[in-house]
PDB file of all heavy atoms in Angstrom:
ATOM      1  N   ASN B  53      13.356 -17.461  10.674  1.00 98.00           N
ATOM      2  CA  ASN B  53      12.160 -17.831  10.022  1.00 98.00           C
ATOM      3  C   ASN B  53      11.105 -16.684  10.090  1.00 98.00           C
ATOM      4  O   ASN B  53      11.419 -15.641  10.701  1.00 98.00           O
ATOM      5  CB  ASN B  53      11.603 -19.158  10.616  1.00 98.00           C
ATOM      6  CG  ASN B  53      11.449 -19.093  12.114  1.00 98.00           C
ATOM      7  OD1 ASN B  53      10.691 -18.220  12.658  1.00 98.00           O
ATOM      8  ND2 ASN B  53      12.123 -19.917  12.876  1.00 98.00           N
ATOM      9  N   GLY B  54       9.927 -16.916   9.577  1.00 98.00           N
ATOM     10  CA  GLY B  54       8.914 -15.875   9.617  1.00 98.00           C
ATOM     11  C   GLY B  54       8.380 -15.591  11.024  1.00 98.00           C
ATOM     12  O   GLY B  54       7.963 -14.368  11.254  1.00 98.00           O
ATOM     13  N   THR B  55       8.477 -16.534  11.890  1.00 98.00           N
ATOM     14  CA  THR B  55       7.937 -16.317  13.245  1.00 98.00           C
ATOM     15  C   THR B  55       8.917 -15.419  14.015  1.00 98.00           C
ATOM     16  O   THR B  55       8.506 -14.529  14.744  1.00 98.00           O
ATOM     17  CB  THR B  55       7.801 -17.709  13.939  1.00 98.00           C
ATOM     18  OG1 THR B  55       6.992 -18.563  13.091  1.00 98.00           O
ATOM     19  CG2 THR B  55       7.217 -17.604  15.360  1.00 98.00           C
ATOM     20  N   THR B  56      10.210 -15.715  13.859  1.00 98.00           N
ATOM     21  CA  THR B  56      11.164 -14.877  14.553  1.00 98.00           C
ATOM     22  C   THR B  56      11.175 -13.493  13.996  1.00 98.00           C
ATOM     23  O   THR B  56      11.398 -12.459  14.685  1.00 98.00           O
ATOM     24  CB  THR B  56      12.610 -15.456  14.613  1.00 98.00           C
ATOM     25  OG1 THR B  56      13.023 -15.725  13.258  1.00 98.00           O
ATOM     26  CG2 THR B  56      12.657 -16.759  15.389  1.00 98.00           C
ATOM     27  N   LEU B  58       8.521 -11.902  12.983  1.00 98.00           N
ATOM     28  CA  LEU B  58       7.372 -11.240  13.740  1.00 98.00           C
ATOM     29  C   LEU B  58       7.769 -10.873  15.158  1.00 98.00           C
ATOM     30  O   LEU B  58       7.418  -9.829  15.619  1.00 98.00           O
ATOM     31  CB  LEU B  58       6.175 -12.137  13.655  1.00 98.00           C
ATOM     32  CG  LEU B  58       5.406 -12.211  12.329  1.00 98.00           C
ATOM     33  CD1 LEU B  58       4.518 -13.424  12.207  1.00 98.00           C
ATOM     34  CD2 LEU B  58       4.598 -10.952  12.084  1.00 98.00           C
ATOM     35  N   THR B  79      -5.434 -16.448  10.171  1.00 98.00           N
ATOM     36  CA  THR B  79      -4.024 -16.360   9.794  1.00 98.00           C
ATOM     37  C   THR B  79      -3.343 -17.508  10.460  1.00 98.00           C
ATOM     38  O   THR B  79      -3.983 -18.307  11.253  1.00 98.00           O
ATOM     39  CB  THR B  79      -3.376 -15.014  10.238  1.00 98.00           C
ATOM     40  OG1 THR B  79      -1.990 -15.015   9.840  1.00 98.00           O
ATOM     41  CG2 THR B  79      -3.476 -14.788  11.778  1.00 98.00           C
ATOM     42  N   PHE B  80      -2.042 -17.686  10.201  1.00 98.00           N
ATOM     43  CA  PHE B  80      -1.246 -18.712  10.851  1.00 98.00           C
ATOM     44  C   PHE B  80      -0.957 -18.248  12.341  1.00 98.00           C
ATOM     45  O   PHE B  80      -0.879 -17.029  12.558  1.00 98.00           O
ATOM     46  CB  PHE B  80       0.080 -18.981  10.137  1.00 98.00           C
ATOM     47  CG  PHE B  80       0.885 -20.050  10.722  1.00 98.00           C
ATOM     48  CD1 PHE B  80       0.356 -21.318  10.854  1.00 98.00           C
ATOM     49  CD2 PHE B  80       2.168 -19.780  11.209  1.00 98.00           C
ATOM     50  CE1 PHE B  80       1.115 -22.343  11.430  1.00 98.00           C
ATOM     51  CE2 PHE B  80       2.961 -20.773  11.817  1.00 98.00           C
ATOM     52  CZ  PHE B  80       2.434 -22.089  11.902  1.00 98.00           C
ATOM     53  N   ALA B  82       1.521 -17.867  14.172  1.00 98.00           N
ATOM     54  CA  ALA B  82       2.608 -16.947  14.472  1.00 98.00           C
ATOM     55  C   ALA B  82       2.217 -15.485  14.461  1.00 98.00           C
ATOM     56  O   ALA B  82       2.808 -14.767  15.249  1.00 98.00           O
ATOM     57  CB  ALA B  82       3.736 -17.199  13.482  1.00 98.00           C
ATOM     58  N   SER B  83       1.310 -15.061  13.638  1.00 98.00           N
ATOM     59  CA  SER B  83       0.937 -13.664  13.549  1.00 98.00           C
ATOM     60  C   SER B  83       0.489 -13.106  14.920  1.00 98.00           C
ATOM     61  O   SER B  83       0.750 -11.979  15.281  1.00 98.00           O
ATOM     62  CB  SER B  83      -0.191 -13.451  12.544  1.00 98.00           C
ATOM     63  OG  SER B  83       0.048 -14.141  11.322  1.00 98.00           O
ATOM     64  N   VAL B 129      -2.308  -9.117   7.758  1.00 98.00           N
ATOM     65  CA  VAL B 129      -1.902 -10.342   7.070  1.00 98.00           C
ATOM     66  C   VAL B 129      -2.432 -10.360   5.674  1.00 98.00           C
ATOM     67  O   VAL B 129      -3.608 -10.272   5.420  1.00 98.00           O
ATOM     68  CB  VAL B 129      -2.389 -11.545   7.900  1.00 98.00           C
ATOM     69  CG1 VAL B 129      -1.958 -12.852   7.193  1.00 98.00           C
ATOM     70  CG2 VAL B 129      -1.903 -11.489   9.295  1.00 98.00           C
ATOM     71  N   ASP B 155       2.304  -8.735   7.786  1.00 98.00           N
ATOM     72  CA  ASP B 155       2.751 -10.097   7.716  1.00 98.00           C
ATOM     73  C   ASP B 155       2.639 -10.553   6.260  1.00 98.00           C
ATOM     74  O   ASP B 155       1.496 -10.855   5.873  1.00 98.00           O
ATOM     75  CB  ASP B 155       1.986 -10.971   8.707  1.00 98.00           C
ATOM     76  CG  ASP B 155       2.400 -12.486   8.695  1.00 98.00           C
ATOM     77  OD1 ASP B 155       3.120 -12.829   7.712  1.00 98.00           O
ATOM     78  OD2 ASP B 155       1.932 -13.220   9.604  1.00 98.00           O
ATOM     79  N   ALA B 157       4.131 -13.088   4.773  1.00 98.00           N
ATOM     80  CA  ALA B 157       4.609 -14.391   4.512  1.00 98.00           C
ATOM     81  C   ALA B 157       4.020 -15.038   3.225  1.00 98.00           C
ATOM     82  O   ALA B 157       4.695 -15.846   2.644  1.00 98.00           O
ATOM     83  CB  ALA B 157       4.200 -15.318   5.681  1.00 98.00           C
ATOM     84  N   HIS B 158       2.818 -14.560   2.830  1.00 98.00           N
ATOM     85  CA  HIS B 158       2.155 -15.097   1.605  1.00 98.00           C
ATOM     86  C   HIS B 158       2.345 -14.195   0.443  1.00 98.00           C
ATOM     87  O   HIS B 158       1.970 -14.519  -0.652  1.00 98.00           O
ATOM     88  CB  HIS B 158       0.682 -15.228   1.820  1.00 98.00           C
ATOM     89  CG  HIS B 158       0.259 -16.174   2.885  1.00 98.00           C
ATOM     90  ND1 HIS B 158      -1.019 -16.589   3.112  1.00 98.00           N
ATOM     91  CD2 HIS B 158       0.946 -16.905   3.794  1.00 98.00           C
ATOM     92  CE1 HIS B 158      -1.114 -17.387   4.110  1.00 98.00           C
ATOM     93  NE2 HIS B 158       0.097 -17.632   4.568  1.00 98.00           N
ATOM     94  N   PHE B 185       8.565 -11.432   6.197  1.00 98.00           N
ATOM     95  CA  PHE B 185       8.466 -12.510   5.174  1.00 98.00           C
ATOM     96  C   PHE B 185       8.884 -13.931   5.760  1.00 98.00           C
ATOM     97  O   PHE B 185       9.595 -13.962   6.761  1.00 98.00           O
ATOM     98  CB  PHE B 185       9.327 -12.215   4.030  1.00 98.00           C
ATOM     99  CG  PHE B 185       8.920 -10.973   3.253  1.00 98.00           C
ATOM    100  CD1 PHE B 185       9.544  -9.770   3.486  1.00 98.00           C
ATOM    101  CD2 PHE B 185       7.979 -11.057   2.277  1.00 98.00           C
ATOM    102  CE1 PHE B 185       9.168  -8.602   2.770  1.00 98.00           C
ATOM    103  CE2 PHE B 185       7.618  -9.949   1.530  1.00 98.00           C
ATOM    104  CZ  PHE B 185       8.172  -8.733   1.787  1.00 98.00           C
ATOM    105  N   SER B 186       8.368 -14.950   5.184  1.00 98.00           N
ATOM    106  CA  SER B 186       8.802 -16.259   5.511  1.00 98.00           C
ATOM    107  C   SER B 186       9.232 -16.958   4.222  1.00 98.00           C
ATOM    108  O   SER B 186       8.670 -16.802   3.167  1.00 98.00           O
ATOM    109  CB  SER B 186       7.640 -17.096   6.136  1.00 98.00           C
ATOM    110  OG  SER B 186       7.894 -18.496   6.098  1.00 98.00           O
ATOM    111  N   PHE B 187      10.252 -17.796   4.374  1.00 98.00           N
ATOM    112  CA  PHE B 187      10.771 -18.541   3.204  1.00 98.00           C
ATOM    113  C   PHE B 187      10.780 -20.059   3.509  1.00 98.00           C
ATOM    114  O   PHE B 187      11.655 -20.838   3.120  1.00 98.00           O
ATOM    115  CB  PHE B 187      12.243 -18.043   2.866  1.00 98.00           C
ATOM    116  CG  PHE B 187      12.207 -16.536   2.690  1.00 98.00           C
ATOM    117  CD1 PHE B 187      12.962 -15.811   3.560  1.00 98.00           C
ATOM    118  CD2 PHE B 187      11.491 -15.925   1.714  1.00 98.00           C
ATOM    119  CE1 PHE B 187      12.923 -14.425   3.448  1.00 98.00           C
ATOM    120  CE2 PHE B 187      11.438 -14.545   1.578  1.00 98.00           C
ATOM    121  CZ  PHE B 187      12.219 -13.811   2.479  1.00 98.00           C
ATOM    122  N   HIS B 188       9.735 -20.415   4.284  1.00 96.00           N
ATOM    123  CA  HIS B 188       9.483 -21.918   4.562  1.00 96.00           C
ATOM    124  C   HIS B 188       9.100 -22.525   3.194  1.00 96.00           C
ATOM    125  O   HIS B 188       8.556 -21.841   2.351  1.00 96.00           O
ATOM    126  CB  HIS B 188       8.298 -22.029   5.534  1.00 96.00           C
ATOM    127  CG  HIS B 188       7.871 -23.344   5.812  1.00 96.00           C
ATOM    128  ND1 HIS B 188       7.126 -24.133   5.047  1.00 96.00           N
ATOM    129  CD2 HIS B 188       8.155 -24.111   6.947  1.00 96.00           C
ATOM    130  CE1 HIS B 188       6.924 -25.317   5.592  1.00 96.00           C
ATOM    131  NE2 HIS B 188       7.545 -25.315   6.798  1.00 96.00           N
ATOM    132  N   LYS B 191       6.153 -21.706   1.106  1.00 94.00           N
ATOM    133  CA  LYS B 191       5.897 -20.318   0.629  1.00 94.00           C
ATOM    134  C   LYS B 191       6.480 -20.142  -0.762  1.00 94.00           C
ATOM    135  O   LYS B 191       6.907 -21.090  -1.371  1.00 94.00           O
ATOM    136  CB  LYS B 191       6.481 -19.315   1.685  1.00 94.00           C
ATOM    137  CG  LYS B 191       6.152 -19.569   3.135  1.00 94.00           C
ATOM    138  CD  LYS B 191       4.663 -19.244   3.406  1.00 94.00           C
ATOM    139  CE  LYS B 191       4.138 -19.864   4.633  1.00 94.00           C
ATOM    140  NZ  LYS B 191       4.588 -19.370   5.947  1.00 94.00           N
ATOM    141  N   GLU B 197      14.449 -23.242   6.232  1.00 97.00           N
ATOM    142  CA  GLU B 197      13.846 -22.230   7.038  1.00 97.00           C
ATOM    143  C   GLU B 197      14.421 -20.959   6.692  1.00 97.00           C
ATOM    144  O   GLU B 197      15.581 -20.820   6.300  1.00 97.00           O
ATOM    145  CB  GLU B 197      14.093 -22.571   8.552  1.00 97.00           C
ATOM    146  CG  GLU B 197      13.537 -23.897   9.043  1.00 97.00           C
ATOM    147  CD  GLU B 197      12.101 -23.790   9.408  1.00 97.00           C
ATOM    148  OE1 GLU B 197      11.529 -22.729   9.452  1.00 97.00           O
ATOM    149  OE2 GLU B 197      11.476 -24.870   9.700  1.00 97.00           O
ATOM    150  N   GLY B 198      13.627 -19.851   6.901  1.00 98.00           N
ATOM    151  CA  GLY B 198      14.147 -18.562   6.640  1.00 98.00           C
ATOM    152  C   GLY B 198      13.108 -17.507   6.828  1.00 98.00           C
ATOM    153  O   GLY B 198      11.931 -17.811   6.630  1.00 98.00           O
ATOM    154  N   GLY B 199      13.532 -16.282   7.165  1.00 98.00           N
ATOM    155  CA  GLY B 199      12.652 -15.171   7.279  1.00 98.00           C
ATOM    156  C   GLY B 199      13.351 -13.917   7.046  1.00 98.00           C
ATOM    157  O   GLY B 199      14.576 -13.876   6.960  1.00 98.00           O
ATOM    158  N   HIS B 301       0.056 -17.008  -3.255  1.00 97.00           N
ATOM    159  CA  HIS B 301       0.693 -18.093  -2.550  1.00 97.00           C
ATOM    160  C   HIS B 301      -0.225 -19.312  -2.336  1.00 97.00           C
ATOM    161  O   HIS B 301       0.210 -20.478  -2.437  1.00 97.00           O
ATOM    162  CB  HIS B 301       1.112 -17.603  -1.126  1.00 97.00           C
ATOM    163  CG  HIS B 301       1.423 -18.701  -0.142  1.00 97.00           C
ATOM    164  ND1 HIS B 301       2.328 -19.673  -0.414  1.00 97.00           N
ATOM    165  CD2 HIS B 301       0.852 -18.929   1.093  1.00 97.00           C
ATOM    166  CE1 HIS B 301       2.332 -20.494   0.646  1.00 97.00           C
ATOM    167  NE2 HIS B 301       1.464 -20.105   1.570  1.00 97.00           N
ATOM    168  N   TYR B 334      -7.325 -20.583   7.378  1.00 98.00           N
ATOM    169  CA  TYR B 334      -6.860 -21.203   8.551  1.00 98.00           C
ATOM    170  C   TYR B 334      -8.031 -21.427   9.519  1.00 98.00           C
ATOM    171  O   TYR B 334      -9.082 -20.830   9.287  1.00 98.00           O
ATOM    172  CB  TYR B 334      -5.866 -20.290   9.227  1.00 98.00           C
ATOM    173  CG  TYR B 334      -4.552 -20.113   8.469  1.00 98.00           C
ATOM    174  CD1 TYR B 334      -4.357 -19.048   7.642  1.00 98.00           C
ATOM    175  CD2 TYR B 334      -3.521 -21.065   8.645  1.00 98.00           C
ATOM    176  CE1 TYR B 334      -3.131 -18.909   6.976  1.00 98.00           C
ATOM    177  CE2 TYR B 334      -2.339 -20.926   7.960  1.00 98.00           C
ATOM    178  CZ  TYR B 334      -2.168 -19.850   7.132  1.00 98.00           C
ATOM    179  OH  TYR B 334      -0.998 -19.676   6.427  1.00 98.00           O
TER     180      TYR B 334
HETATM  181  C1  PLP V   1       4.300 -19.256   7.447  1.00 90.08           C
HETATM  182  C2  PLP V   1       3.696 -18.114   8.057  1.00 90.08           C
HETATM  183  C3  PLP V   1       4.364 -17.469   9.181  1.00 90.08           C
HETATM  184  C4  PLP V   1       5.507 -18.050   9.887  1.00 90.08           C
HETATM  185  O1  PLP V   1       6.563 -18.299   9.091  1.00 90.08           O
HETATM  186  P1  PLP V   1       7.652 -19.442   9.477  1.00 90.08           P
HETATM  187  O2  PLP V   1       8.773 -19.179   8.567  1.00 90.08           O
HETATM  188  O3  PLP V   1       6.964 -20.757   9.278  1.00 90.08           O
HETATM  189  O4  PLP V   1       8.047 -19.216  10.940  1.00 90.08           O
HETATM  190  C5  PLP V   1       3.771 -16.329   9.679  1.00 90.08           C
HETATM  191  N1  PLP V   1       2.594 -15.852   9.167  1.00 90.08           N
HETATM  192  C6  PLP V   1       1.939 -16.410   8.146  1.00 90.08           C
HETATM  193  C7  PLP V   1       0.755 -15.782   7.622  1.00 90.08           C
HETATM  194  C8  PLP V   1       2.475 -17.582   7.604  1.00 90.08           C
HETATM  195  O5  PLP V   1       1.842 -18.153   6.592  1.00 90.08           O
END
Side-chain angles (χ1 to χ4, degrees):
N53 56 60
T55 305
T56 55
L58 285 160
T79 180
F80 183 59
S83 316
V129 180
D155 180 344
H158 297 187
F185 293 97
S186 163
F187 311 111
H188 181 281
K191 308 290 160 73
E197 294 279 352
H301 161 55
Y334 291 96

